[in-house]
Amino acid sequence: LISTSSRCLSCAVLPTWGQQTVDRLFDKYDGNFDRLDKQEQELVYIWRVEADIYNGGMLQFLCNWGFSAAETTCDILEKMKANRSAALIRQALETVTSEVQRVQKEGKVLKETWDIPKYLSLESENLLEDLDEQYWEDPDNLCQKGWQHYLS
């Protein structure tokens, strides 16, 4: 018999549920996000932020999904009472937004979000790395909050 804490169980179940929802998005709905119900859409946002930040950091998340998706994700996290995680993402978003504005004022053209990393200042790069590290510490125990919000 294996003893499992509720945190371990929630961290095993919630990401799996998110992944299943993402799979359904493509298998059943051909990638049409709007066909998912509201709860499924929220799970996809959470899955995306977790997958991207733990894989490549805040900048990867922002460049892959855009600023609007980051705002929506923060709203969802705040609804779940994951306020510290949302605040870290909002700080990253503000940093990158400021950098984009600076680059545009300099007359440079960003053709896509993945052009942003080329123009980041060293100060912003360091701040984003610090925000990544803080997020990786899981300040809100996000799996537990997700479990409580969606599955209990």
Side-chain angles (χ1 to χ4, degrees), residues 19-31:
Q19 179 63 56
Q20 289 172 347
T21 303
V22 170
D23 290 345
R24 186 170 41 262
L25 170 63
F26 291 98
D27 295 343
K28 187 174 179 182
Y29 300 126
D30 198 31

Side-chain angles (χ1 to χ4, degrees), residues 4-29:
T4 306
S5 71
S6 62
R7 174 169 164 44
C8 292
L9 180 61
S10 67
C11 287
V13 172
L14 191 64
T16 300
W17 192 23
Q19 179 63 56
Q20 289 172 347
T21 303
V22 170
D23 290 345
R24 186 170 41 262
L25 170 63
F26 291 98
D27 295 343
K28 187 174 179 182
Y29 300 126

Side-chain angles (χ1 to χ4, degrees), residues 54-146:
Y54 279 102
N55 180 270
M58 301 269 183
L59 192 58
Q60 177 176 312
F61 170 66
L62 293 171
C63 289
N64 278 349
W65 303 108
F67 297 2
S68 177
E71 285 287 348
T72 300
T73 301
C74 289
D75 293 344
I76 293 164
L77 291 171
E78 288 165 349
K79 186 169 81 171
M80 293 170 44
K81 308 290 189 238
N83 297 318
R84 287 175 277 175
S85 298
L88 292 169
I89 295 166
R90 285 193 196 282
Q91 190 174 357
L93 180 59
E94 289 170 13
T95 299
V96 173
T97 299
S98 293
E99 287 289 279
V100 167
Q101 291 169 347
R102 176 188 58 80
V103 167
Q104 289 173 335
K105 282 181 186 175
E106 293 172 357
K108 297 176 182 146
V109 177
L110 299 170
K111 294 181 183 176
E112 60 184 0
T113 55
W114 273 107
D115 288 341
I116 295 168
K118 295 186 274 189
Y119 297 108
L120 287 178
S121 68
L122 183 58
E123 180 182 341
S124 291
E125 285 180 13
N126 290 337
L127 177 58
L128 289 169
E129 286 177 19
D130 183 56
L131 294 171
D132 290 342
E133 290 175 18
Q134 290 179 58
Y135 189 91
W136 296 334
E137 291 173 9
D138 195 15
D140 291 306
N141 193 354
L142 194 56
C143 287
Q144 185 69 31
K145 292 243 165 86

